[in-house]
Amino acid sequence: MDALIALEDGRTFPCASFTGPGETRGELVFNTGMTGYQEVLTDPSYRGQIVTMTYPLIGNYGVNPEDVESDRIQVAGFIVREYQAFPSNFRATDTLADYLRSQGVMGIHDLDTRALTRHIRNAGAMRAVISTRDLDPASLVRRARETPGLVGRDLVREVSTRVPYRWIAGERVPIGEDAALDGTLWREKGTKFSVVAFDFGIKYNILRCLAAAGFEIVVVPASTGAAAVRAMAPDGIFLSNGPGDPEPVTYAVETIRSLLGYRPLFGICLGQQLLGLALGGRTYKLKFGHRGANQPVKNLDTGRIEITSQNHGFSVDMASLSADEIEVSHVNLNDQTLEGFRHRSYPAFSVQYHPEASPGPHDSRYLFETFSKMMAAA
């Protein structure tokens, strides 16, 4: 089915929909991963974004219920060079097209994704509209310019859980409304470290890694206050990844600031950005972001280069952090942006990349052990 992609700067791309009629809008970005498209689709950090995959053949191994990173597809639209309609994989339970169609998400192909990626790389991520109904370029460009951007929008509220839950044997187990959210909540106190994980858009594989590290986990909504966390008396606090601009998420920043020094803190991705804001730093929007599984990051402690998986469009301004309080631990070798830091006095550290995604394959798993050691020393 004929479709058209229109960008806010006036560039358009004729294409086709492999999921049928529809229309969508959002910020258009690209991901350089060769595999993992199902994880991309379900990563809450992509909320409000249309994702272009740079690898040309997508859909060849289908989809399955084990590889999701949240309870639903999160992307606003999905763009590929060539859709593979007949998957070949013993784990596949459905085709990519049927999976997208079942949740009302548009899938687009039959266009030059290399040209689209180069345009975004040079001009920056921008707002876009995709339609099979309105194929008039001038009309779609105008509507792209009217599409809300990500700056200043709180997308965390759209993806965060509304009720606390436990993570047990790879499953979400809701905590009953009559359960007391206090120190009696923990079932394995004394045998496992208890961790409160803030859900700003948490990926399931982060929870799997926290569980594999030997922690008992309770996931709480992003709006949970510091007093509620203190009442639960955990051994550690985890700040998750999530979508969009960190600066509008003021309630989380205030909570984190109130919890500094209370228990060890570990942040990933948006969690790092919120921790940076809580420490008095500033954040800014990257030109086209870091999205893929081959980002080189230098660990300044060891001098080793970690090959990392990343998905973020904002970053903490390294110069805005106090060198007397903050020590930089990791730096991106592509653009020298901040990839990790720790507090010199408080037990708090974070990274901008995703140590749970294993592209290295396990270059960064030591961070979960670092969190464990920090709790043991507290």
Side-chain angles (χ1 to χ4, degrees):
M1 179 172 288
D2 288 344
L4 185 66
I5 300 171
L7 308 183
E8 64 175 287
D9 70 348
R11 185 80 183 267
T12 60
F13 293 82
C15 52
S17 168
F18 62 83
T19 53
E23 192 168 280
T24 190
R25 62 181 184 171
E27 181 183 70
L28 198 146
V29 299
F30 62 87
N31 183 294
T32 59
M34 296 177 66
T35 61
Y37 56 79
Q38 189 174 353
E39 290 88 339
V40 168
L41 290 172
T42 54
D43 183 348
S45 295
Y46 281 114
R47 192 73 169 184
Q49 293 179 318
I50 299 168
V51 180
T52 301
M53 298 300 291
T54 62
Y55 186 71
L57 305 177
I58 300 294
N60 49 314
Y61 56 83
V63 297
N64 66 80
E66 287 83 29
D67 288 347
V68 297
E69 291 288 359
S70 67
D71 61 355
R72 61 192 182 277
I73 295 175
Q74 303 286 351
V75 303
F78 198 51
I79 302 173
V80 304
R81 173 67 184 92
E82 180 181 342
Y83 168 61
Q84 301 295 298
F86 301 99
S88 177
N89 188 291
F90 74 97
R91 298 175 69 234
T93 58
D94 209 347
T95 67
L96 173 60
D98 286 342
Y99 182 55
L100 292 168
R101 208 158 23 230
S102 71
Q103 298 190 40
V105 177
M106 288 192 74
I108 298 298
H109 72 150
D110 198 18
L111 74 154
D112 188 346
T113 51
R114 185 171 184 266
L116 178 58
T117 298
R118 285 170 63 92
H119 185 69
I120 293 299
R121 188 189 66 189
N122 294 331
M126 64 183 75
R127 296 167 294 175
V129 174
I130 306 175
S131 181
T132 62
R133 299 166 183 153
D134 181 358
L135 301 180
D136 176 51
S139 170
L140 277 195
V141 169
R142 182 178 65 253
R143 293 169 61 192
R145 292 169 180 167
E146 295 170 351
T147 297
L150 295 190
V151 176
R153 288 173 62 192
D154 178 4
L155 293 173
V156 169
R157 291 189 185 276
E158 296 184 18
V159 298
S160 179
T161 183
R162 299 188 184 282
V163 296
Y165 64 87
R166 303 178 190 276
W167 183 260
I168 301 175
E171 298 289 339
R172 294 171 53 148
V173 180
I175 294 174
E177 294 183 0
D178 55 344
L181 294 180
D182 56 25
T184 64
L185 181 71
W186 308 104
R187 297 172 174 175
E188 299 177 87
K189 197 75 170 177
T191 59
K192 290 185 176 182
F193 288 127
S194 54
V195 174
V196 167
F198 277 90
D199 179 12
F200 303 126
I202 200 164
K203 291 170 61 181
Y204 286 171
N205 208 40
I206 288 178
L207 292 171
R208 296 183 191 110
C209 286
L210 289 170
F215 308 148
E216 181 182 4
I217 310 150
V218 169
V219 182
V220 297
S223 58
T224 303
V229 174
R230 290 175 184 271
M232 295 169 69
D235 295 311
I237 300 165
F238 178 77
L239 312 175
S240 85
N241 66 293
D245 188 349
E247 290 193 358
V249 194
T250 54
Y251 49 90
V253 173
E254 289 301 320
T255 297
I256 295 167
R257 186 177 292 129
S258 298
L259 291 172
L260 284 169
Y262 168 64
R263 292 288 191 273
L265 279 164
F266 175 26
I268 287 177
C269 202
L270 182 68
Q272 161 154 306
Q273 297 161 24
L274 295 172
L275 178 59
L277 291 172
L279 291 167
R282 298 186 302 272
T283 58
Y284 64 99
K285 194 173 191 298
L286 296 167
K287 184 176 181 180
F288 50 80
H290 301 157
R291 298 176 182 88
N294 57 352
Q295 300 278 336
V297 168
K298 184 173 184 178
N299 183 323
L300 300 183
D301 294 330
T302 65
R304 297 184 64 184
I305 310 304
E306 300 172 21
I307 302 303
T308 69
S309 180
Q310 303 200 13
N311 172 21
H312 61 100
F314 292 80
S315 181
V316 177
D317 181 357
M318 201 182 309
S320 70
L321 298 173
S322 169
D324 293 333
E325 297 181 353
I326 306 301
E327 182 178 7
V328 175
S329 59
H330 298 77
V331 175
N332 189 295
L333 292 184
N334 284 336
D335 59 11
Q336 300 301 305
T337 53
L338 179 63
E339 291 285 357
F341 67 82
R342 57 177 166 262
H343 201 279
R344 295 184 186 276
S345 302
Y346 300 136
F349 74 109
S350 63
V351 290
Q352 186 60 65
Y353 54 93
H354 284 267
E356 84 290 345
S358 305
H362 301 297
D363 292 13
S364 308
R365 285 289 177 90
Y366 67 89
L367 292 163
F368 295 97
E369 183 180 350
T370 298
F371 188 34
S372 180
K373 291 178 178 178
M374 193 174 281
M375 286 187 281

